[in-house]
Amino acid sequence: MASRCWRWWGWSAWPRTRPPPAGSTPSFRHHLSTQEKTLQICVVGSGPAGFYTAQHLLKRVETLCSQPRVLNSPALSGEGEDLGVPPHQLPPCSQQHPQAHVDIYEKQPVPFGLVRFGVAPDHPEVKNVINTFTQTAHSGRCAFWGNVEVGRDVTVPELREAYHAVVLSYGAEDHRALEIPGEELPGVCSARAFVGWYNGLPENRELEPDLSGDTAVILGQGNVALDVARILLTPPEHLERTDITKAALGVLRQSRVKTVWLVGRRGPLQVAFTIKELREMIQLPGARPILDPADFLGLQDKIKEVPRPRKRLTELLLRAATEKPGPEQAARRAPASRAWGLRFFRSPQQVLPSPDGRRAAGVRLAVTRLEGVGEATRAVPTGDMEDLPCGLVLSSVGFKSRPVDPSVPFDSKLGVIPNVEGRVMDVPGLYCSGWVKRGPTGVIATTMTDSFLTGQMLLQDLKAGLLPSGPRPGYAAIQALLSSRGVRPVSFSDWEKLDAEEVARGQGTGKPREKLVDPQEMLRLLGH
């Protein structure tokens, strides 16, 4: 029972420092007497990718390990493929690992990642997936450990020594830079930071977007760009019953932004947003769309051959741009004091400074035209330029992941971990899922499918005997390391206390919750 003693180390006796250099990590061997029959898996990141990976593994390991060791069994392989291993050489899975335990590590004190910090506050139905994640966290075979930053508080090699398998699911924490002059000016920020600000992401809580101008320009035409435009133009009273932060709501109440332009390098057939988000913008109370019919000339013939989702989206754009609104829609738009528009065939070249050079005052755009067909269509400059005045510039040209640890391969150009179907290249026992695996594309359902596939690859490796067969200490060893470094993890029961506090704070104003945004306040409330 030696491993249990680690739990009683005093937190305050150990300063929080970076992990010791490689080679100085305490040995885990004395922990190996515990949970010898449990497959220990570590997941880094508690967003959709992390929780869906954990859910799939917990559901499938017992199924996998309880099956007879028969070749071509769909229950074993997931695809019924012949592994080319004689039956007597298949690993005795039911004896080695009759069950799995998954520890989910998260650098924030609170779970759910993009669902909490990325989904728009006026889309509460999308956040219902939290109920499923909570069920997973309540499993006796799953544990959440927040306030632990992998790469700083504990290294990936240390995790790999403590667990049979490690899955990196930490998402895309950075934004792609515009790489144009003036990008550093005050008045320019990423859409990712703006979303984090109104959703209560701790690192963005002190953002101070200047909404004193009447025009904002969003560079990008994806769902995030539409989310930001919608929040900027939604009447604040319509946001009062959402979980938007108190600080953000206060700033939006004082906003003078009346017009939002969404700028894209290509045309209507290449927009990246989906029909649901477009329909919401068209129906936005108090706002009217500005669409140039000239941008849609000849489009009716071109959409005949495109896939159905793209066709329906483009048809909705066409109707909004060219058809006279019906009586009900016209009545709704008549008093509209705000507007939004799509500027196609424009590529940002420079953020223009104000006369005193102290802040952004506009964007210089290169007029473009399209070359190529299908997926190869690209925007090329025509040589013409135009300036678009504004007081706020938001870049929404994509997210990207960051490298988490020097020991993990990383493609800095693509912003992903090099992998084959979720198996990290050249690092056995290390996997990835979600955006850090495939890039920042798709919706939550896409991430679910992707995470299940990564889980399936891990289980195939388990079945084929490619994971360590001996016992691993799991969290018992990591807890000792964290304790020695002064790191105090936040458990899921701790999160539920914070959750109750948020809900209680929101009740007084009719909100579903008032989010805590300061990690130190969260830790104080927990007595850490």
Side-chain angles (χ1 to χ4, degrees):
M1 298 298 292
S3 64
R4 299 296 182 190
C5 297
W6 294 103
R7 298 180 181 272
W8 302 104
W9 286 19
W11 293 110
S12 59
W14 298 91
R16 183 167 182 158
T17 60
R18 292 183 177 273
S24 63
T25 302
S27 172
F28 295 149
R29 290 178 183 174
H30 58 289
H31 293 289
L32 299 184
S33 61
T34 64
Q35 298 180 320
E36 291 189 1
K37 302 255 177 153
T38 299
L39 177 68
Q40 298 285 350
I41 302 173
C42 160
V43 173
V44 179
S46 69
F51 265 105
Y52 277 130
T53 301
Q55 175 187 323
H56 186 75
L57 291 171
L58 292 172
K59 181 179 180 181
R60 294 299 300 244
V61 165
E62 284 195 77
T63 302
L64 173 74
C65 293
S66 63
Q67 298 294 323
R69 292 181 293 133
V70 179
L71 285 175
N72 296 320
S73 167
L76 283 175
S77 71
E79 298 178 4
E81 62 183 5
D82 191 333
L83 294 176
V85 182
H88 68 278
Q89 291 183 13
L90 281 172
C93 188
S94 59
Q95 297 176 20
Q96 288 284 356
H97 305 300
Q99 66 177 2
H101 181 89
V102 178
D103 288 317
I104 302 175
Y105 292 94
E106 167 61 54
K107 77 171 187 176
Q108 301 292 345
V110 296
F112 309 133
L114 196 66
V115 180
R116 177 179 170 95
F117 298 122
V119 174
D122 57 348
H123 285 172
E125 71 285 351
V126 180
K127 302 184 185 187
N128 288 337
V129 70
I130 284 176
N131 298 327
T132 300
F133 298 161
T134 297
Q135 290 178 0
T136 299
H138 281 163
S139 165
R141 297 182 293 129
C142 181
F144 166 82
W145 303 111
N147 196 41
V148 178
E149 185 170 349
V150 173
R152 184 191 69 180
D153 302 327
V154 63
T155 67
V156 171
E158 287 167 342
L159 293 175
R160 293 184 64 212
E161 188 175 351
Y163 291 88
H164 293 96
V166 174
V167 186
L168 302 174
S169 309
Y170 59 87
E173 299 181 286
D174 209 349
H175 70 280
R176 294 193 179 278
L178 294 170
E179 299 182 349
I180 60 175
E183 184 176 9
E184 74 291 344
L185 286 169
V188 182
C189 74
S190 70
R192 181 193 180 279
F194 191 80
V195 170
W197 168 70
Y198 65 64
N199 272 330
L201 182 61
E203 67 190 61
N204 299 130
R205 69 185 186 277
E206 295 180 358
L207 187 73
E208 297 179 350
D210 185 353
L211 307 185
S212 61
D214 62 2
T215 302
V217 170
I218 302 174
L219 301 173
Q221 292 181 337
N223 279 342
V224 173
L226 282 193
D227 277 349
V228 170
R230 193 179 64 257
I231 295 298
L232 281 170
L233 295 176
T234 295
E237 59 269 23
H238 290 217
L239 297 172
E240 290 174 348
R241 304 293 181 178
T242 73
D243 66 358
I244 191 170
T245 65
K246 180 179 179 180
L249 186 58
V251 173
L252 290 168
R253 282 198 180 106
Q254 303 299 318
S255 171
R256 296 181 180 177
V257 175
K258 300 297 182 185
T259 304
V260 177
W261 291 106
L262 298 99
V263 177
R265 293 179 297 109
R266 298 188 292 174
L269 269 177
Q270 288 80 35
V271 294
F273 51 73
T274 52
I275 193 168
K276 176 181 179 292
E277 281 69 25
L278 175 61
R279 188 177 290 115
E280 285 182 313
M281 286 300 295
I282 292 173
Q283 298 173 351
L284 188 64
R288 58 185 175 84
I290 306 173
L291 300 171
D292 186 351
D295 288 333
F296 298 87
L297 292 176
L299 213 56
Q300 191 69 58
D301 293 332
K302 293 180 181 178
I303 63 175
K304 292 179 180 178
E305 304 300 325
V306 301
R308 176 173 165 77
R310 173 66 64 180
K311 182 179 180 181
R312 292 178 61 237
L313 171 64
T314 310
E315 287 174 341
L316 180 58
L317 269 174
L318 268 168
R319 290 195 298 272
T322 61
E323 293 183 3
K324 185 178 179 180
E328 183 179 338
Q329 196 173 55
R332 187 170 62 245
R333 291 180 184 176
S337 60
R338 301 182 178 188
W340 60 275
L342 298 171
R343 298 294 289 269
F344 298 111
F345 310 111
R346 302 291 187 272
S347 177
Q349 302 299 300
Q350 178 185 356
V351 177
L352 301 172
S354 58
D356 61 9
R358 293 185 176 180
R359 59 171 297 99
V363 183
R364 179 156 293 162
L365 303 170
V367 180
T368 64
R369 58 181 173 81
L370 297 183
E371 286 188 355
V373 294
E375 295 297 321
T377 301
R378 62 190 185 95
V380 297
T382 64
D384 294 332
M385 295 280 182
E386 66 179 36
D387 294 345
L388 184 56
C390 64
L392 176 67
V393 180
L394 294 157
S395 64
S396 185
V397 293
F399 296 169
K400 66 177 182 179
S401 298
R402 299 171 180 166
V404 68
D405 189 287
S407 69
V408 180
F410 190 78
D411 186 326
S412 57
K413 183 176 180 181
L414 297 177
V416 298
I417 294 173
N419 69 93
V420 178
E421 297 182 309
R423 298 179 175 100
V424 176
M425 294 178 64
D426 303 322
V427 190
L430 187 62
Y431 304 83
C432 57
S433 67
W435 283 5
V436 75
K437 168 187 172 183
R438 70 180 191 276
T441 59
V443 294
I444 291 177
T446 317
T447 296
M448 177 184 70
T449 302
D450 170 272
S451 301
F452 286 0
L453 289 174
T454 290
Q456 195 59 44
M457 295 305 103
L458 190 158
L459 295 178
Q460 286 187 12
D461 291 349
L462 169 65
K463 179 185 58 175
L466 300 178
L467 299 183
S469 59
R472 291 291 171 103
Y475 180 66
I478 300 304
Q479 182 189 30
L481 290 176
L482 296 176
S483 177
S484 71
R485 294 163 187 171
V487 181
R488 302 189 66 171
V490 172
S491 68
F492 200 79
S493 61
D494 288 333
W495 148 245
E496 291 180 318
K497 295 173 185 175
L498 298 176
D499 178 46
E501 175 67 20
E502 290 186 344
V503 171
R505 292 187 182 191
Q507 285 178 343
T509 55
K511 299 178 66 175
R513 68 177 63 244
E514 185 60 58
K515 287 180 178 177
L516 298 164
V517 299
D518 183 353
Q520 293 307 312
E521 181 184 8
M522 298 180 198
L523 297 179
R524 284 196 302 271
L525 287 170
L526 295 172
H528 279 31

